[in-house]
Amino acid sequence: MENKLQSKVEKRSKADRLYLILKGAIVTLGFAVLMLLVLTTLLRREFIAAYSEWPYVHKNSFRFILCALVTIVIIVMGRKVLKKVDPRRAFLVFAGAFLIAGLFLVINMPTKLNEADQLFTLKAANQMNHGNFISLQLDKFHPSVLPFEKNLGGYLAIYPFQLGYVTYLRLLECFTTNVRFFYLLNILWFLLINYLLYRIVKLVTQNNWLVLNWMLLLSFAFLPELFFVLFIYGNIPGLCACLAAVYFGLKLIMDDSHGRFTWLWCVLLFVLAYQLKSNYQIAVLALGIVFVLHAIKHRRYKLIAMPLITFALMLGSNKLITAAYEAESGLHLSKGLPMITYVAMGLEPQNDRGRGAGWYDGYTLNVYLANHFDSKKTSQAAKTKIKDELKYYSNNPHEAGQFFKNKFVSTWSDPTFESVWIAPYFARPRTAILNNIYYGNRYSIKHPKIVKWYQKSMKPTSAWCNIVVVTIFVLAAGFVLYKKTKLNPYATFAILYLMGGMAFHLMWETKSQYVFQYIVCLIPVAAMLLGEFDGAESRKATQKEK
């Protein structure tokens, strides 16, 4: 009997050591990543000109750096201001202000979308709702300077990963194709995103009012959320589904009173997020690691099956959607553009369009076209290119360091995350204030008018966003350092998600727009540090009274 008991104790101690080693590694890497982002965003700021999408990075002034640091000190010192405010009322106030600002954008901004994926997916959905499946036909592809500008021939055959999102659009376009309707829907998605963050923080902190209120303030002060109302793409509803999945996943491991089907909601919502935007696989992996850590610590090994089931259903959903479209259209769908081509493009030493290192330059479509839409040949060509690129970097370590440095900085130093750049820029907004923010962005970075416009209008907006982003990174880094291996499940998820996204975009095609969701998920972690400071002061006061 004693031997069995001793054996159990030894197994438990080994599991505890493994847990601490893994958690310690996550905390160490997470803190290092956050400090790297603090330095990058504090010292550098990026501006991206319209149309050309050329990133321009410049150094922040000493005055700005001082202002950002003073802002953080003021927030930490004055954190108790929001301690007694009912977070339910705070949410209603912030949501009301966001709704008014969002409606102002919806009413006054133009609806002629730029020639890019958000327009192509809307058109493809509308065509298919009317029985036109030209976007699924590769033989209808029309090569031009701007592919798909004249027609959408082969668009979804080349990019079949868009089919899930296009299906979502087809459902909505059964009611209307009005672009302002989609703008309005984005307002509702962002309100729901902030509500989900509210519910997550409430669950994790056990309804800590101070943390809830600061999370709401930081989130609604993060202006890219407002500007992205004009971005009709799968990122936004996908983020909403992703956060809902994370909420149910956290309930599964933190709330003993969770429902029988909580795990199922987590899985299905992740699958939905993936179909809306495939990059949300990174979030599944991040939460999966949190489940593994929880399984090791609490011996709930069934949780390890959750991410495996989710990934299996993601693959199954792809096959189901493909089969459905083949049945509806009577066409056989190609495998599409191999994903490995995005890695080849993301590692190119020289961008052919003058954009940032690893940014889109048309390579993926060009190599697919050069290989006559043969996925196997295209994949082989991309692998050969990757080998050549890695060989070049190994032989030229200085150039490699410079390339990845430039790629990292151009990805993370734009505090607006291209939320202004993505707006329609070939038509004027209806009001002077929106003209000041948006319309100057239509000029090339080399045009003298853009310098004047940036100094007058965009610089204050960009500076505000920069201060908010730096604040989020600094507070999040402080929380990770303060809690160490006692980091709560959500904070662990957010740090893993951030690190996963950073690693992904160091290898994959990148742009600052792609990393917006990692910042949103980090906001609650930043607010949690303020709650820890308050809790520490309360404990000290209690000890003095004793």
Side-chain angles (χ1 to χ4, degrees), residues 65-362:
I65 294 171
L66 184 63
C67 183
L69 295 176
V70 168
T71 300
I72 294 168
V73 171
I74 291 172
I75 288 173
V76 173
M77 298 299 291
R79 62 188 178 277
K80 292 184 179 181
V81 172
L82 300 178
K83 186 176 181 179
K84 294 183 179 180
V85 177
D86 187 336
R88 292 170 297 183
R89 292 181 179 177
F91 178 81
L92 291 175
V93 170
F94 285 127
F98 186 88
L99 180 61
I100 292 169
L103 287 174
F104 183 74
L105 280 178
V106 171
I107 294 168
N108 292 296
M109 284 299 289
T111 58
K112 184 182 178 182
L113 301 179
N114 307 328
E115 296 285 340
D117 287 320
Q118 59 171 332
L119 177 61
F120 302 152
T121 49
L122 280 168
K123 283 184 175 180
N126 188 42
Q127 286 177 349
M128 289 197 287
N129 276 355
H130 290 86
N132 181 354
F133 294 93
I134 189 174
S135 59
L136 297 176
Q137 297 173 265
L138 271 176
D139 58 337
K140 300 294 184 181
F141 175 75
H142 188 281
S144 63
V145 177
L146 289 174
F148 314 114
E149 184 182 27
K150 294 185 177 180
N151 67 58
L152 291 177
Y155 175 73
L156 292 174
I158 296 171
Y159 306 111
F161 57 82
Q162 298 275 32
L163 283 171
Y165 173 60
V166 169
T167 303
Y168 157 81
L169 291 178
R170 289 184 68 184
L171 292 172
L172 294 175
E173 289 189 358
C174 289
F175 303 98
T176 181
T177 57
N178 190 310
V179 170
R180 295 195 197 281
F181 166 76
F182 291 96
Y183 288 167
L184 183 61
L185 193 59
N186 276 345
I187 295 176
L188 300 180
W189 284 130
F190 274 118
L191 290 175
L192 188 51
I193 284 167
N194 281 284
Y195 178 70
L196 286 166
L197 290 176
Y198 172 90
R199 292 299 300 267
I200 287 169
V201 172
K202 185 177 181 181
L203 172 67
V204 173
T205 65
Q206 298 179 336
N207 200 26
N208 186 312
W209 280 22
L210 187 143
V211 178
L212 283 165
N213 286 325
W214 276 107
M215 184 279 296
L216 290 170
L217 179 59
L218 287 172
S219 188
F220 283 105
F222 186 47
L223 289 182
E225 288 192 14
L226 177 63
F227 296 145
F228 269 128
V229 162
L230 305 176
F231 186 36
I232 305 171
Y233 207 44
N235 305 50
I236 298 164
L239 178 57
C240 190
C242 176
L243 285 172
V246 171
Y247 172 71
F248 284 110
L250 292 173
K251 278 185 71 72
L252 197 63
I253 62 177
M254 298 187 71
D255 185 358
D256 293 332
S257 63
H258 65 78
R260 288 178 59 189
F261 298 107
T262 300
W263 69 273
L264 185 59
W265 281 114
C266 176
V267 170
L268 293 179
L269 284 163
F270 264 139
V271 173
L272 177 60
Y274 163 75
Q275 285 299 335
L276 291 169
K277 186 66 176 175
S278 59
N279 288 7
Y280 288 112
Q281 293 175 88
I282 301 170
V284 179
L285 183 60
L287 192 64
I289 294 173
V290 173
F291 283 158
V292 170
L293 290 170
H294 189 81
I296 293 170
K297 187 176 182 180
H298 299 281
R299 294 186 178 183
R300 294 180 63 186
Y301 298 111
K302 290 181 180 179
L303 286 172
I304 297 174
M306 283 281 289
L308 301 177
I309 294 170
T310 306
F311 281 118
L313 286 178
M314 283 177 173
L315 293 174
S317 66
N318 284 341
K319 292 181 178 180
L320 182 63
I321 288 175
T322 300
Y325 275 100
E326 286 183 338
E328 184 183 9
S329 65
L331 301 168
H332 175 70
L333 300 190
S334 67
K335 291 183 180 179
L337 186 68
M339 294 294 101
I340 193 72
T341 57
Y342 286 94
V343 179
M345 181 170 65
L347 293 175
E348 282 184 320
Q350 181 65 43
N351 190 298
D352 293 336
R353 293 192 182 178
R355 292 176 178 172
W359 286 49
Y360 181 82
D361 66 358

Side-chain angles (χ1 to χ4, degrees), residues 349 392-406:
Y392 171 80
Y393 289 135
S394 64
N395 293 332
N396 300 275
H398 176 74
E399 283 77 2
Q402 196 64 37
F403 171 82
F404 285 107
K405 174 193 170 185
N406 292 340

Side-chain angles (χ1 to χ4, degrees), residues 45 47 58-61 63-64 415-416 436-437 450-467:
R45 190 187 312 165
F47 163 69
H58 64 85
K59 293 181 180 180
N60 277 325
S61 65
R63 184 174 62 178
F64 169 82
T416 68
N436 287 338
I437 294 173
I450 203 168
V451 177
K452 184 179 179 181
W453 164 75
Y454 178 81
Q455 293 291 335
K456 179 183 177 183
S457 304
M458 190 59 197
K459 194 173 182 180
T461 304
S462 182
W464 170 274
C465 294
N466 204 166
I467 288 173

Side-chain angles (χ1 to χ4, degrees), residues 44-48 55-57 359 409-410 413-415 462 512:
R44 297 282 189 275
R45 190 187 312 165
E46 180 179 63
F47 163 69
I48 298 170
Y56 171 71
V57 180
W359 286 49
V409 171
S410 69
S413 63
D414 174 15
S462 182
S512 58

